[in-house]
Amino acid sequence: MKDLTTFELACQNILMAMQDSDDSSFQLDRSSIVKAVEAQAQVMRLTSNIDISEQDIELTVAKLEERFDISMTLGVVFKADNYKPWLHERRGDINWFYWGRYKKHLINSGFPPKVVTQLDLVTDKILDHLEYPEKEGDWTRKGLVVGHVQSGKTANYTAVINKAADAGYKVIIVLAGILSALRSQTQERIDEGFRGVDSSKQLNDIPLKDRLVGVGQYSHENVPISFTTTVHDFKNSIAKQIGSTLDNFNQPVVLVIKKNKAILQNLISWLKNNNLSLDQLPFLLVDDEADHASINTNKEDTDATAINSKIRELLKLFRQNMYLGYTATPFANIFIDPDNSDEMIGDELFPRDFIISLDAPSNYVGSRRIFSSDKDLEIVRPIFDYEDLLHPSHKKEHVPEALPRSLKEAIRAFVLIRAIRILRGQEFKHNSMLINVSRFTDVQSHIKLLVHDYLDELRIHTINHYQLAENIALNDPSLSNLKSTFDKEFVSLEFKWVEVQAVLKRAISPIETIEVNASKSSEPLDYSKGNYPNGRSIIAVGGLSLSRGLTLEGLTVSYFIRNTQMYDTLMQMGRWFGYRDGYAELCRLYMPSEAISWYEHISDVTEELRDEFKRMENAKLTPEEFGLCVRSHPESLIVTARNKMRSGSKVLRQISLLGRSVETTVLGTSSSFLDTNKNALKSLIQYLLQTNTHTENSGSNYLFKKLDDQPVRRFIDTYLNHPASIMTEAKPILDYINKINCDWDIQLISNSKPHVLSKAFTVDSIIMHPLMRTVTKYKDTSSAITSSKKRFSSPSWERAGIDKEIIESHLDRMEKSKSLTGKILRQLRTRPLLTVYLLDCQIAGSGEPAATQTVVGWSISFPGEAGSRKPENLVEYVVNTTWWNQEFGELLDEEDDFEND
């Protein structure tokens, strides 16, 4: 978006002026865009002697049509009862100098006009929830803004910073994650979007006019003071060099610092010793990645808690302070597990005053478009060939001898995508590929060398053969492999192979391989226009440094092998989320099928959480009440355990099962599991046949209606649950069954089209044929399996037991584009439904049998609307942290390595 051509920018400005005019008859449709672009092309041909072709006009029209069609809606707000709006009364008294030039900067950088307008409205809402900076006396407020991964949170809080400075906040500090690279990147964004001066250039060496960047190009008055630069974090020596206390500056002071306890302590000490009067300096603390290192997790290792205490100490230095957290993964902030509710509120960084959930613009590519059941982008590619060369649990001494074939294919896809983007007129845009396969920097270094060698080999062969006739060029193995990848991935696009081959040299020549990590051989993710005026094309190899906060411009290909199931870590590792205007369908994401299943699962969980945001806002819940509701969500278990697992104690979590579906997501395949669970199913069927209850056949399935809960409790109690299938742990399920004390429906699933080798499970008149499912080995064990979709059941099964008239009546009221999801069916249901099924399983990729016998699985659909009210009938789940440490200890070790960087 940033590098608009002069022609595109001129056309955009004309359309925006026409849109803002008083002409009520003007409609911003395709016809008006075409007219404006053709008229501007004629003007530039005559006045500037610029050759603008018909193809240039068509391309510009398409880009502008897409850009002006992008929109963004307002988000959700939870606020405490003490909220008092102030902005509407004070707006006319504020000189919007900083916001005015930032708005110009956004528009001229290519931000869609509707998005800029909505950003203005959203950040007004956020500003109004900050305290009024001119308010006298002592005050303190805490708030949290929840965005999406790679969705523009930095642009949002930069806009808030500009408006806060206009309104009267005197000191602004941005906490920019725990990585030096992220802090430097954030400082660069603040330089461009707020200060207007490049902080990397020394004050005495270069005139001010040569240091202006971003907003500084529109006005360089009232430049905010900064004690940090893109090169240096806060240092006492730099503060002393500036030689003044905070209250002596007429302009606001802004610092961008890393979440590091030593740096925070240095800043606190300097403020205490050199600023005697902080009483009347309204202070805004923006905490980027607020879920990371800032939370007081009360673990035995005190690093994160130390950072938390330093942040709180920093806030208390100012009698007037405002804490504003930003995160895309609020799980740790909201799901944090206190011993009691008072402790949660007592944690001084809990957003007790407000929580604002942002909606992403319509062109945002997030997990929903890639992983959800209604996804519209088919860009994910499962990989199966990496374990021999890059096993997920490899040690730091591991030296990979070669690249997996799938990684070589991903590199070829990256080259081809760049070629296609050249043909689409995007030659001078940034292009990036991410390779994240190891947490160890030494292994990353080896991978980088192997990637460099393969890319160099590909480049030499391409340059030597791309100009030859197609039939001759394809005799070369490298060109032949590129053609095979093209046929597999891109043959359905608008360009033929002969066109792609013709630009392969231009595509592959500038690509370089870099390492982005904490090692000495690491290189910065530099995409600056000054250093790379024609765009940059890189393959970045890294680990945690590429997993949080950092932006890879023009990311098109990601190759990802990581062994974690932590929701926030998974989402933050998703650097592929973001904006891909003009090439979204070209992108490719290579990852193991187990990782795909976790992303599919968390995509659904996140969408459910955002739906609950809206319901809770309508219920006018406060942040405290909201926190209590959300922490009763079943998915809070995994986050809570993560926060507590260092303590070595068991983790307790109270969960609401109202309106929830639970099912066996991990199934044991040892003989003890298989035999015990078949016997449990046999006993269940025998009981059902003895009760003379009403039975229905839906196709090949069996449905028993209006039973008491005795057979359900007996089955759950005797079924041998795998410990990794947390939500189907017997005790909390049985507790909930006792609490709701109601009639049940029980469904037995039988395959209507039995596969050739299936063996029917027969008990008297009941005949159950197993379903066939593709699975993966759970944690590389031979005794447990999990689903590639993180579920074995089908949403359609939840229709059973609901009157057809109720379903048909609801379908009549629904939009045609909507479907009857499990969540909707549970709202229509009056009795809970136990569904039991049999599975024959084969391993993904190999097709080998996953178990020696048929496996038994089950699910329960509990009626009600999840999150519709304050939780009741809570049941307690227990997580053993010894098991959790075995599962996720490596992840914690990795993060610890960086917290003290």
Side-chain angles (χ1 to χ4, degrees):
M1 258 190 208
K2 291 183 177 178
D3 301 321
L4 292 176
T5 65
T6 304
F7 177 53
E8 286 176 38
L9 187 56
C11 295
Q12 176 178 284
N13 290 339
I14 290 170
L15 289 168
M16 290 181 64
M18 296 170 71
Q19 191 178 30
D20 294 338
S21 69
D22 296 330
D23 184 4
S24 59
S25 65
F26 175 74
Q27 297 291 324
L28 189 56
D29 52 18
R30 177 175 175 80
S31 174
S32 59
I33 291 174
V34 170
K35 288 179 182 178
V37 171
E38 289 178 341
Q40 182 61 25
Q42 188 63 25
V43 169
M44 295 185 76
R45 286 172 182 145
L46 295 174
T47 60
S48 305
N49 199 26
I50 297 176
D51 182 23
I52 299 174
S53 66
E54 290 302 315
Q55 185 178 4
D56 293 333
I57 291 176
E58 289 178 12
L59 189 63
T60 302
V61 167
K63 288 181 179 179
L64 292 173
E65 192 174 15
E66 183 178 66
R67 191 172 300 138
F68 277 89
D69 191 46
I70 295 168
S71 61
M72 183 173 74
T73 54
L74 294 173
V76 172
V77 181
F78 308 96
K79 52 184 177 290
D81 294 334
N82 63 355
Y83 167 63
K84 293 182 179 179
W86 58 268
L87 184 57
H88 65 290
E89 292 183 356
R90 307 288 180 175
R91 186 185 306 277
D93 300 329
I94 298 172
N95 175 15
W96 299 101
F97 168 78
Y98 292 114
W99 164 245
R101 64 177 190 168
Y102 184 58
K103 183 178 180 180
K104 286 182 182 178
H105 174 63
L106 291 174
I107 291 171
N108 290 333
S109 297
F111 270 65
K114 290 181 182 178
V115 171
V116 175
T117 299
Q118 286 296 87
L119 179 65
D120 189 9
L121 294 172
V122 168
T123 51
D124 269 359
K125 180 187 292 187
I126 297 171
L127 180 66
D128 199 29
H129 282 77
L130 308 188
E131 188 56 88
Y132 175 49
E134 300 293 332
K135 179 180 177 180
E136 296 183 356
D138 296 359
W139 47 261
T140 180
R141 281 178 67 82
K142 305 287 186 295
L144 180 70
V145 177
V146 181
H148 299 252
V149 176
Q150 297 286 92
S151 67
K153 294 189 305 300
T154 306
N156 184 285
Y157 70 66
T158 303
V160 170
I161 287 170
N162 277 278
K163 290 185 174 183
D166 286 327
Y169 277 89
K170 300 298 184 186
V171 180
I172 300 167
I173 294 177
V174 181
L175 298 177
I178 64 173
L179 302 173
S180 296
L182 177 55
R183 192 214 68 83
S184 179
Q185 189 179 79
T186 303
Q187 178 77 58
E188 184 179 343
R189 303 276 180 85
I190 295 299
D191 286 351
E192 290 183 356
F194 179 45
R195 296 189 67 240
V197 175
D198 185 350
S199 63
S200 67
K201 299 177 179 178
Q202 294 300 316
L203 294 175
N204 299 327
D205 297 340
I206 304 170
L208 176 62
K209 63 182 180 64
D210 295 330
R211 293 188 286 120
L212 298 177
V213 293
V215 295
Q217 296 170 354
Y218 307 104
S219 172
H220 53 270
E221 300 173 0
N222 306 322
V223 175
I225 308 300
S226 181
F227 298 168
T228 57
T229 71
T230 54
V231 180
H232 298 294
D233 206 327
F234 178 82
K235 291 183 177 180
N236 282 330
S237 57
I238 295 177
K240 289 178 181 177
Q241 184 180 355
I242 293 176
S244 182
T245 59
L246 297 182
D247 56 340
N248 284 333
F249 293 115
N250 293 324
Q251 290 78 35
V253 175
V254 61
L255 294 83
V256 180
I257 66 174
K258 186 169 56 176
K259 290 184 201 176
N260 176 284
K261 59 185 178 183
I263 291 172
L264 282 164
Q265 183 57 58
N266 285 341
L267 175 59
I268 290 167
S269 298
W270 181 80
L271 287 169
K272 285 181 176 178
N273 297 329
N274 296 279
N275 293 274
L276 300 178
S277 177
L278 299 176
D279 293 356
Q280 300 303 317
L281 293 177
F283 171 41
L284 171 62
L285 181 63
V286 176
D287 186 358
D288 194 11
E289 310 292 342
D291 62 304
H292 202 212
S294 300
I295 302 298
N296 185 358
T297 56
N298 296 320
K299 55 201 179 194
E300 287 184 352
D301 183 306
T302 60
D303 286 347
T305 302
I307 292 174
N308 172 269
S309 64
K310 292 302 175 188
I311 293 173
R312 285 152 51 189
E313 186 178 351
L314 176 61
L315 285 165
K316 288 179 180 178
L317 289 178
F318 295 83
R319 288 176 52 196
Q320 301 175 334
N321 64 77
M322 175 70 229
Y323 172 84
L324 182 62
Y326 274 79
T327 182
T329 48
F331 302 105
N333 303 75
I334 300 170
F335 290 151
I336 191 167
D337 185 24
D339 294 332
N340 55 62
S341 60
D342 290 338
E343 186 174 324
M344 176 191 74
I345 304 304
D347 186 305
E348 296 187 31
L349 297 188
F350 180 82
R352 63 173 184 264
D353 294 299
F354 65 89
I355 299 172
I356 296 178
S357 173
L358 302 176
D359 290 339
S362 57
N363 64 328
Y364 173 68
V365 178
S367 62
R368 184 170 190 168
R369 295 189 63 188
I370 299 174
F371 294 106
S372 72
S373 54
D374 59 347
K375 61 189 175 187
D376 67 311
L377 291 174
E378 295 291 341
I379 65 175
V380 181
R381 301 292 182 267
I383 55 177
F384 304 100
D385 63 344
Y386 61 92
E387 291 191 352
D388 291 341
L389 299 170
L390 285 168
H391 196 278
S393 58
H394 65 261
K395 305 301 181 184
K396 64 180 179 180
E397 297 83 12
H398 176 64
V399 179
E401 298 176 356
L403 299 178
R405 289 190 303 274
S406 57
L407 179 48
K408 290 182 177 181
E409 178 161 280
I411 294 169
R412 294 195 298 270
F414 179 62
V415 173
L416 292 168
I417 292 168
R418 174 154 163 73
I420 294 167
R421 294 193 71 193
I422 289 173
L423 293 171
R424 288 184 176 181
Q426 302 170 7
E427 180 170 4
F428 303 119
K429 304 291 186 180
H430 298 304
N431 295 270
S432 300
M433 175 178 177
L434 174 153
I435 300 176
N436 187 344
V437 296
S438 174
R439 56 174 286 230
F440 302 113
T441 55
D442 286 348
V443 178
Q444 294 164 21
S445 297
H446 288 300
I447 293 293
K448 179 217 170 173
L449 294 176
L450 291 172
V451 171
H452 170 81
D453 287 346
Y454 180 68
L455 180 66
D456 213 37
E457 174 190 336
L458 205 59
R459 181 165 25 230
I460 291 170
H461 284 256
T462 296
I463 292 173
N464 287 340
H465 297 88
Y466 83 101
Q467 285 184 305
L468 300 175
E470 179 180 336
N471 60 332
I472 299 174
L474 293 182
N475 289 326
D476 177 78
S478 292
L479 266 292
S480 178
N481 287 335
L482 279 166
K483 174 66 161 55
S484 296
T485 302
F486 175 83
D487 290 342
K488 180 179 179 182
E489 297 290 345
F490 308 113
V491 72
S492 62
L493 296 178
E494 68 269 35
F495 302 110
K496 297 179 180 178
W497 168 254
V498 65
E499 298 172 273
V500 171
Q501 180 181 312
V503 297
L504 280 176
K505 178 182 177 181
R506 286 158 61 190
I508 200 171
S509 292
I511 299 175
E512 54 185 321
T513 308
I514 69 169
E515 197 172 332
V516 182
N517 51 31
S519 71
K520 292 181 180 178
S521 56
S522 176
E523 299 178 49
L525 276 175
D526 180 11
Y527 296 97
S528 62
K529 196 169 183 179
N531 291 334
Y532 300 96
N534 295 325
R536 191 182 191 194
S537 294
I538 59 171
I539 299 176
V541 182
L544 185 65
S545 294
L546 291 176
S547 299
R548 183 175 277 273
L550 283 177
T551 299
L552 288 89
E553 301 284 356
L555 181 63
T556 55
V557 177
S558 300
Y559 191 91
F560 177 79
I561 307 172
R562 298 308 300 275
N563 190 22
T564 178
Q565 296 169 358
M566 292 304 179
Y567 290 3
D568 50 0
T569 303
L570 274 171
M571 292 301 284
Q572 290 291 351
M573 284 178 172
R575 299 292 94 197
W576 44 84
F577 301 134
Y579 301 99
R580 305 287 181 265
D581 295 340
Y583 61 97
E585 85 287 3
L586 299 180
C587 297
R588 292 294 180 268
L589 174 53
Y590 298 82
M591 60 169 58
S593 56
E594 186 180 17
I596 295 172
S597 71
W598 272 103
Y599 273 106
E600 290 172 340
H601 176 67
I602 193 175
S603 174
D604 292 338
V605 168
T606 304
E607 288 304 315
E608 181 184 351
L609 184 61
R610 290 187 181 277
D611 288 342
E612 290 186 16
F613 281 176
K614 292 181 172 62
R615 285 197 295 272
M616 293 175 191
E617 181 190 38
N618 293 335
K620 301 188 183 304
L621 298 185
T622 67
E624 177 184 355
E625 293 167 328
F626 165 75
L628 293 172
C629 283
V630 172
R631 282 198 311 284
S632 71
H633 192 290
E635 305 303 333
S636 66
L637 263 173
I638 197 167
V639 181
T640 300
R642 184 227 185 119
N643 283 342
K644 296 286 186 178
M645 65 177 116
R646 284 194 182 94
S647 65
S649 60
K650 291 183 177 180
V651 175
L652 306 179
R653 166 61 80 211
Q654 288 192 316
I655 297 299
S656 170
L657 294 177
L658 177 72
R660 305 288 183 188
S661 173
V662 296
E663 70 169 289
T664 47
T665 56
V666 179
L667 300 171
T669 56
S670 65
S671 58
S672 60
F673 277 97
L674 298 173
D675 294 340
T676 300
N677 294 337
K678 279 190 176 178
N679 287 332
L681 174 57
K682 181 178 180 180
S683 296
L684 173 65
I685 294 173
Q686 289 173 337
Y687 181 92
L688 294 173
L689 292 176
Q690 291 170 5
T691 59
N692 295 317
T693 53
H694 177 59
T695 307
E696 291 182 2
N697 284 70
S698 176
S700 57
N701 301 333
Y702 303 89
L703 178 64
F704 299 81
K705 299 176 71 173
K706 299 180 181 179
L707 297 147
D708 63 36
D709 60 19
Q710 183 180 349
V712 179
R713 286 190 283 108
R714 182 181 298 174
F715 174 76
I716 298 298
D717 194 34
T718 55
Y719 182 91
L720 188 54
N721 185 61
H722 193 281
S725 187
I726 303 168
M727 289 308 302
T728 47
E729 182 184 336
K731 185 181 181 304
I733 298 292
L734 293 172
D735 286 348
Y736 192 70
I737 292 172
N738 290 332
K739 286 182 177 181
I740 59 177
N741 188 25
C742 63
D743 287 344
W744 282 69
D745 295 337
I746 297 178
Q747 179 179 214
L748 305 176
I749 301 294
S750 179
N751 197 344
S752 60
K753 297 179 180 178
H755 49 279
V756 178
L757 300 178
S758 70
K759 293 182 179 180
F761 186 80
T762 304
V763 179
D764 295 333
S765 60
I766 301 295
I767 302 174
M768 294 175 64
H769 292 284
L771 305 163
M772 177 60 77
R773 290 287 188 269
T774 299
V775 300
T776 58
K777 293 179 180 179
Y778 181 74
K779 294 293 177 186
D780 303 315
T781 66
S782 58
S783 60
I785 55 175
T786 187
S787 166
S788 60
K789 298 287 186 183
K790 239 8 176 220
R791 64 180 302 163
F792 294 102
S793 66
S794 168
S796 64
W797 294 352
E798 294 191 70
R799 287 175 174 246
I802 306 174
D803 291 343
K804 290 182 179 179
E805 294 78 9
I806 294 175
I807 290 178
E808 289 172 0
S809 175
H810 190 83
L811 283 171
D812 289 340
R813 298 194 302 271
M814 285 176 58
E815 299 176 24
K816 290 184 178 180
S817 60
K818 302 289 185 180
S819 59
L820 270 178
T821 63
K823 181 168 64 176
I824 293 174
L825 290 168
R826 292 190 291 276
Q827 293 171 15
L828 302 178
R829 171 174 302 287
T830 57
R831 296 179 300 276
L833 171 73
L834 168 67
T835 300
V836 187
Y837 47 88
L838 294 163
L839 301 174
D840 284 338
C841 304
Q842 58 184 18
I843 300 296
S846 69
E848 297 176 358
T852 57
Q853 304 177 42
T854 299
V855 186
V856 179
W858 60 267
S859 65
I860 295 179
S861 176
F862 289 108
E865 185 176 0
S868 60
R869 58 178 182 266
K870 293 180 184 179
E872 56 187 34
N873 291 329
L874 298 176
V875 291
E876 194 169 77
Y877 280 78
V878 181
V879 180
N880 186 309
T881 53
T882 302
W883 183 80
W884 278 92
N885 272 311
Q886 292 173 349
E887 294 287 297
F888 306 116
E890 268 192 6
L891 172 68
L892 290 174
D893 293 340
E894 178 179 11
E895 294 193 348
D896 283 346
D897 291 342
F898 283 87
E899 283 189 6
N900 296 308
D901 176 32

